[in-house]
Amino acid sequence: MDIPRIFTITESAHRIHNPFTEEKLATLGAVLRLAPGTRVLDLGSGSGEMLCTWARDYGIRGLGVDLCRLFTEQAKLRAEELGVAGRVEFIHEDAAGYVASEKAGVAACLGATWIGGGVAGSVELLAKSLLPGGIILIGEPFWRQVPPTEEIARSCFANSISDFLTLPDLVASFGGLGCDVVEMVLADQEGWDRYEAAKWLTMRRWLAANPGDDLAAEVRELLTSEPGRYVTYTREYLGWGVFALMMR
């Protein structure tokens, strides 16, 4: 049980596996007005940076669930590094369908809404682990500008233009799910640069250390093509944000 190995190669040096910087992640924690002791559930928790830094800075308690064994181990090490291992727990498990035994004041899925089959299903899933009056966090891409062709959409790693909404349409869609949007923090192009460009140095160093690996040719192809693809397509067309929701 794990994610495809290519991601554990390209993102092995990432602490945050989405286009948020450390500053944006801290802003998100601040705007939620987290009370000490608030329990936060993070489905698709990656390397645990959100829960670990929020435990340090805001005194939350947290549970992170992630399918990637490497990232889960990195999250545990990060908790120890920040001195919050007693406040946060990370488990290697498929987050799809996961419902916590102890309900949370905040239930999050940042950039992994596939666990619920999309935004609507993820909101429904997170609500099952939420205390009354709690907050759901959804991290999701949106079109900064709608691609003029399906080919361009695919170059942004969408299957089609219809995979993502514009920001106004995405915000409006939450109302259709019975939710109020009570806060949002949006990534900027600097955040995208840090998320995407950091992969290139990781790939180059990995290739130098693993020239005979079965994935070396694939990693080499990515390193050759990704900078141009990213600056031409993703950076220009795709946005990303975290939206704080409360059920009506």
Side-chain angles (χ1 to χ4, degrees), residues 39-82:
R39 184 167 179 81
V40 180
L41 172 68
D42 188 7
L43 298 186
S45 52
S47 295
E49 191 72 1
M50 183 177 80
L51 292 182
C52 290
T53 56
W54 286 6
R56 178 195 64 192
D57 298 339
Y58 307 116
I60 63 100
R61 299 179 298 122
L63 172 64
V65 183
D66 200 274
L67 186 61
C68 179
R69 189 179 303 276
L70 172 65
F71 297 162
T72 302
E73 291 306 312
Q74 289 178 336
K76 293 175 182 178
L77 292 174
R78 184 63 167 156
E80 293 175 2
E81 178 185 0
L82 296 185

Side-chain angles (χ1 to χ4, degrees), residues 171-172 174-181 245-248:
V171 169
F174 294 125
L177 300 177
C179 299
D180 289 320
V181 180
L245 315 173
M246 296 181 71
M247 304 302 294
R248 291 175 179 167

Side-chain angles (χ1 to χ4, degrees), residues 40-240:
V40 180
L41 172 68
D42 188 7
L43 298 186
S45 52
S47 295
E49 191 72 1
M50 183 177 80
L51 292 182
C52 290
T53 56
W54 286 6
R56 178 195 64 192
D57 298 339
Y58 307 116
I60 63 100
R61 299 179 298 122
L63 172 64
V65 183
D66 200 274
L67 186 61
C68 179
R69 189 179 303 276
L70 172 65
F71 297 162
T72 302
E73 291 306 312
Q74 289 178 336
K76 293 175 182 178
L77 292 174
R78 184 63 167 156
E80 293 175 2
E81 178 185 0
L82 296 185
V84 297
R87 303 189 63 84
V88 293
E89 178 186 3
F90 296 98
I91 59 176
H92 172 238
E93 190 170 324
D94 190 351
Y98 186 90
V99 177
S101 58
E102 181 180 352
K103 292 188 182 298
V106 177
C109 176
L110 307 190
T113 54
W114 54 265
I115 67 171
V119 171
S122 295
V123 169
E124 182 180 0
L125 173 62
L126 292 169
K128 295 177 181 178
S129 297
L130 196 67
L131 289 167
I135 291 175
I136 291 172
L137 297 180
I138 292 289
E140 184 73 2
F142 57 86
W143 293 123
R144 296 180 65 239
Q145 51 178 320
V146 177
T149 68
E150 294 290 351
E151 182 179 2
I152 290 176
R154 288 190 291 271
S155 295
C156 297
F157 295 121
N159 293 315
S160 68
I161 294 172
S162 62
D163 277 5
F164 305 131
L165 302 173
T166 64
L167 180 58
D169 287 343
L170 178 59
V171 169
S173 73
F174 294 125
L177 300 177
C179 299
D180 289 320
V181 180
V182 297
E183 256 294 359
M184 71 176 189
V185 179
L186 303 183
D188 54 23
Q189 287 182 309
E190 170 63 18
W192 273 110
D193 291 349
R194 298 282 49 78
Y195 174 54
E196 293 289 346
K199 300 175 187 178
W200 309 336
L201 180 57
T202 299
M203 286 191 283
R204 180 55 191 262
R205 288 180 170 170
W206 183 89
L207 283 168
N210 301 275
D213 192 278
D214 290 344
L215 284 183
E218 182 177 349
V219 174
R220 163 42 65 190
E221 182 178 355
L222 284 174
L223 180 57
T224 301
S225 62
E226 275 298 284
R229 184 208 59 78
Y230 165 66
V231 299
T232 303
Y233 300 112
T234 302
R235 197 176 195 272
E236 298 305 311
Y237 288 94
L238 201 59
W240 196 86

